[in-house]
Amino acid sequence: MIDGQNKTYYVTSLWLKSDIELKNFVLYAIPTQESDVSVISIGNDLHTNKYNRSKEAQEAFVASQTYPGIQNIVLDNIIIDGNRALQPALEVRDGGKHGISIKGFSNNITIKNVTARNCVTDGIALYRGLHTTLDRGVEVFAIRNIRIDNFQAFNNRRHGGSGDSIENFRCTNSRFENNGLDVWGKFSGAKPAVFNGNVYGNGWIMEGYGLGSGIRNIIFDQCSFISNAASGLLFYDVANSSDRNFIFRDKIKILNSTLDSGVQNPTGDFGLIFTSNIENKKNHIKLYNQVLVSNTTITGKILLRSVQNVHLLDVNIITRDETHGLLDYADNVSYLFTTNKKTIFTWEHYNGKNIQ
């Protein structure tokens, strides 16, 4: 166990090895023009600058190439400040200046009582990495057994959190708020991340890039995803579900949580989104399967595209729209209230069946 004794440290990247507990640190990112420099790094897949070509980064690259990769890590009582208002040169590319970056193969990681604020990209990013190329045409779960509790992600330039290629993920008692928005500062890091002229930072995004980006056994419990630039929670994948190697993005639970549609959402009034790309949405096999949303309030609508077996249990949808959501090639969608509330949900839907 490495104890920082609650002192403040100015760092570029800390590269973690297996079997480490990091506790009681305040970490400020040193401004740099380099991209791909995250404050805490678990795994590595790039050699683009002096930081990720260092001896420690090279070791992380090797260790995260094969399963189980880097494992048995605990982060406890840590404040990470990405110092985004003083970070230059972001016009070049979005970069990878996260608070916590997990890349490649990893297993058994616990993150508790951690704050990631003012980061140039995401508060935390879990990414299969370039190790698991899509050329092999196989499904893998690069990142396994992740437990997050009491995590605070706010004022980050892009998303509060992001991830793909994950099996067995549980995030509890956490806040992903005010991400993707401006902060005061004269450098480009103070400006929000923009795509096609629109801000797009979400509370959390599970963004898949095709085969190898699957998610399974995902739980968000007692979490808040509000006041971000765009949607509270967004699940998106470009995988072709007709591929013979495809496996469902499967068993996803959102429990006891609060979401909204953000303050500048380019997709419209959607607080919770499950979607594929438009080309694949008509596939007979759906992209997402077995979704449970329970005891949750959503200020904004729900979008379900290429999803099946969705159950909404005691879900409160608050919208001024005529409908509560859009169902697009969604099958077996139902809702139930166990209380005296008798709201009747109405949907705009296309090509769905068994819609309650």
Side-chain angles (χ1 to χ4, degrees), residues 64-275:
S64 60
Q65 281 188 300
T66 56
Y67 186 79
I70 299 174
Q71 60 180 337
N72 305 326
I73 288 177
V74 176
L75 305 178
D76 185 10
N77 192 32
I78 296 173
I79 296 174
I80 298 169
D81 195 305
N83 213 359
R84 59 179 279 205
L86 297 180
Q87 297 279 1
L90 296 180
E91 296 84 3
V92 178
R93 67 188 215 90
D94 199 33
K97 293 183 177 181
H98 308 297
I100 300 172
S101 172
I102 302 174
K103 285 185 179 180
F105 289 95
S106 60
N107 178 51
N108 194 26
I109 296 174
T110 298
I111 299 168
K112 56 185 179 179
N113 309 315
V114 172
T115 295
R117 66 194 185 203
N118 301 321
C119 297
V120 174
T121 314
D122 303 344
I124 180 171
L126 295 79
Y127 173 47
R128 61 173 177 80
L130 302 177
H131 304 318
T132 54
T133 63
L134 303 180
D135 299 337
R136 303 181 213 172
V138 298
E139 292 276 37
V140 298
F141 295 104
I143 300 166
R144 302 186 182 186
N145 304 315
I146 306 296
R147 293 173 297 278
I148 300 174
D149 183 63
N150 191 27
F151 185 84
Q152 319 294 319
F154 59 91
N155 292 345
N156 299 297
R157 179 173 167 266
R158 194 173 69 170
H159 310 302
S162 62
D164 82 308
S165 195
I166 303 168
E167 182 179 44
N168 300 333
F169 169 97
R170 187 179 186 96
C171 178
T172 57
N173 188 34
S174 296
R175 296 167 50 217
F176 304 89
E177 301 175 0
N178 299 104
N179 299 288
L181 302 172
D182 283 287
V183 297
W184 184 88
K186 63 181 180 179
F187 291 91
S188 54
K191 302 302 179 184
V194 174
F195 181 73
N196 287 340
N198 296 311
V199 296
Y200 67 101
N202 300 277
W204 186 291
I205 178 172
M206 290 291 192
E207 182 176 10
Y209 309 97
L211 296 184
S213 290
I215 54 174
R216 183 165 63 193
N217 296 334
I218 305 295
I219 298 174
F220 288 101
D221 188 3
Q222 300 181 68
C223 293
S224 173
F225 309 88
I226 63 173
S227 301
N228 300 286
S231 300
L233 259 174
L234 168 60
F235 295 80
Y236 170 71
D237 200 326
V238 300
N240 185 348
S241 59
S242 293
D243 190 286
R244 62 184 180 87
N245 293 318
F246 170 80
I247 58 175
F248 285 122
R249 280 65 181 132
D250 198 26
K251 299 177 182 176
I252 300 165
K253 297 180 180 179
I254 302 162
L255 314 173
N256 310 305
S257 294
T258 305
L259 298 79
D260 72 13
S261 58
V263 297
Q264 295 176 256
N265 196 334
T267 67
D269 186 32
F270 292 107
L272 174 61
I273 297 176
F274 288 84
T275 186

Side-chain angles (χ1 to χ4, degrees), residues 278-313:
I278 300 301
E279 293 79 10
N280 294 331
K281 73 173 184 177
K282 298 180 182 180
N283 290 349
H284 175 69
I285 299 174
K286 306 302 183 188
L287 181 64
Y288 295 98
N289 178 52
Q290 295 191 65
V291 175
L292 171 65
V293 185
S294 175
N295 193 33
T296 288
T297 296
I298 303 171
T299 302
K301 299 188 296 183
I302 294 176
L303 169 58
L304 301 176
R305 176 173 288 126
S306 190
V307 190
Q308 66 181 18
N309 302 321
V310 180
H311 187 55
L312 310 178
L313 176 63

Side-chain angles (χ1 to χ4, degrees), residues 268-270 300-301 317-325 346 348:
D269 186 32
F270 292 107
K301 299 188 296 183
I317 300 176
I318 302 171
T319 177
R320 295 180 180 178
D321 206 321
E322 295 179 353
T323 63
H324 293 86
T346 58
E348 178 184 4

